[in-house]
Amino acid sequence: MFSGPGRTYGPLLLLPAVAAVALLSACGGAPAEPSAPSASPPASSPASRPSSPAPPSSEPPTTSPLARDIQAAFRAATKAHPGAALETCTTDAPLDDADCGAALTAAGKVAADTERRLRQKDPENADLLYGAALTTAGAVQDGLARLRHPIPCYGLSEAPQPPPPLHAEAESICAEAADLTRSEWGIFLSTVEP
């Protein structure tokens, strides 16, 4: 069928050809000839290989020089003043429990000795360098002072024991103060142990 001289079908006939070329190029072109299987798998580029995680390090994390100073001072103080086992100071410990008193005394000595050693390390800058350890050591010592006065808890003071009518109340006050001191000791340990 001839439609006359003014009408052309050129663009309409090119449209399917352009679509076919676009599809072939998007899909990777014409199918390739099958090749013979190779003996080794194809090498992949470093960018296409999945990255494997690094093996875990067996070395401990590095410790800062300041942390090493604190740990060394604490270890030396603990060695010089053993016996800071505050788990012996339970809330139902009697007012004259000598074991609890000995454990609290040892804890106070460890805290004070750790503080002394750190202050000797750098007297001018100790508060700046070792602030947390010094602050928590001071809190342990303050807790021990609360247990000595005004009530002589766990034999920590030579002061006379309260009279029998006040004995139960004094035990309750000492148990609460010992519990607070145990908490302060735990915070201190968190600043001086690795």
Side-chain angles (χ1 to χ4, degrees):
M1 285 170 80
F2 181 82
S3 62
R7 194 162 177 189
T8 63
Y9 290 97
L12 291 178
L13 293 176
L14 285 177
L15 189 57
V18 171
V21 169
L23 281 173
L24 282 176
S25 65
C27 294
E33 295 292 322
S35 60
S38 63
S40 64
S44 59
S45 70
S48 66
R49 278 183 245 144
S51 63
S52 60
S57 174
S58 61
E59 294 181 22
T62 57
T63 307
S64 73
L66 294 177
R68 284 195 297 268
D69 289 347
I70 293 168
Q71 291 165 11
F74 171 70
R75 281 193 297 270
T78 302
K79 188 174 181 180
H81 309 285
L86 297 191
E87 60 272 3
T88 61
C89 295
T90 61
T91 53
D92 57 348
L95 194 58
D96 59 352
D97 187 333
D99 290 338
C100 176
L104 287 164
T105 299
K109 287 180 178 180
V110 168
D113 197 17
T114 301
E115 180 179 3
R116 179 186 62 78
R117 291 170 189 273
L118 291 174
R119 289 197 183 282
Q120 282 179 341
K121 190 93 175 147
D122 190 341
E124 291 182 16
N125 301 306
D127 288 316
L128 181 63
L129 297 173
Y130 312 115
L134 297 177
T135 300
T136 57
V140 170
Q141 294 170 73
D142 292 345
L144 196 58
R146 279 192 306 272
L147 289 162
R148 286 191 174 115
H149 308 288
I151 301 170
C153 302
Y154 312 115
L156 294 173
S157 169
E158 296 297 323
Q161 292 292 313
L166 299 176
H167 198 271
E169 186 178 346
E171 273 189 344
S172 174
I173 292 169
C174 287
E176 192 172 311
D179 193 43
L180 182 59
T181 303
R182 275 196 312 272
S183 296
E184 289 164 339
W185 174 253
I187 295 168
F188 168 70
L189 291 180
S190 73
T191 65
V192 297
E193 290 183 326

